[in-house]
Amino acid sequence: MFNRDKIANMLRQLRKERKLTQQTLEIVTGIDRTTISAYENGTREPTIHNIIILADYFQISLDTITCRTSKIYVNVTDISEVSLQKIHQIILKDEIKKGKYENR
């Protein structure tokens, strides 16, 4: 169903970027540490239930966590207006640098 190796790398990357141990991830998600380890080692395929829990925790889309897209979508629902403006500025600068920005 999923590509275990890609998901393993994605989960490990997400966890390490946030400086979390597998034990901490177990505490915040309720997914057993040994299960998380098996997912990260690619020896076990995540259940859809656990994929949803992990995507929600990391605030990314199911397509991103399952490596169905190389684009990363971030849930900004609970982000302040100031933070949203900063994110928009970063994206705009990047688009201008890449020549993709069109004045609308």
Side-chain angles (χ1 to χ4, degrees):
M1 185 168 149
F2 301 119
N3 183 320
R4 284 186 193 178
D5 292 334
K6 286 183 178 181
I7 293 174
N9 291 331
M10 175 63 77
L11 291 175
R12 189 177 312 105
Q13 176 186 341
L14 289 167
R15 182 178 58 77
K16 288 186 175 190
E17 282 175 357
R18 287 155 181 85
K19 298 180 181 8
L20 299 170
T21 64
Q22 290 176 344
Q23 185 175 9
T24 302
L25 192 56
E26 172 185 35
I27 292 166
V28 297
T29 64
I31 300 170
D32 189 83
R33 185 201 58 76
T34 58
T35 301
I36 293 167
S37 177
Y39 293 165
E40 289 186 6
N41 291 322
T43 58
R44 187 167 169 193
E45 187 174 282
T47 64
I48 191 66
H49 176 77
N50 285 348
I51 284 289
I52 291 168
I53 290 171
L54 291 163
D56 286 348
Y57 176 75
F58 290 117
Q59 295 186 326
I60 60 175
S61 72
L62 292 174
D63 281 343
T64 300
I65 202 165
T66 57
C67 303
R68 290 173 37 97
T69 182
S70 60
K71 295 179 181 178
I72 296 179
Y73 298 93
V74 178
N75 181 353
V76 295
T77 306
D78 296 325
I79 294 179
S80 71
E81 187 63 34
V82 172
S83 295
L84 282 174
Q85 289 174 359
K86 288 180 182 179
I87 291 168
H88 184 261
Q89 289 172 351
I90 292 167
I91 293 169
L92 184 60
K93 284 180 186 177
D94 187 57
E95 287 179 348
I96 290 171
K97 190 163 73 171
K98 291 179 180 177
K100 293 181 179 179
Y101 179 73
E102 295 177 17
N103 195 359
R104 297 176 191 167

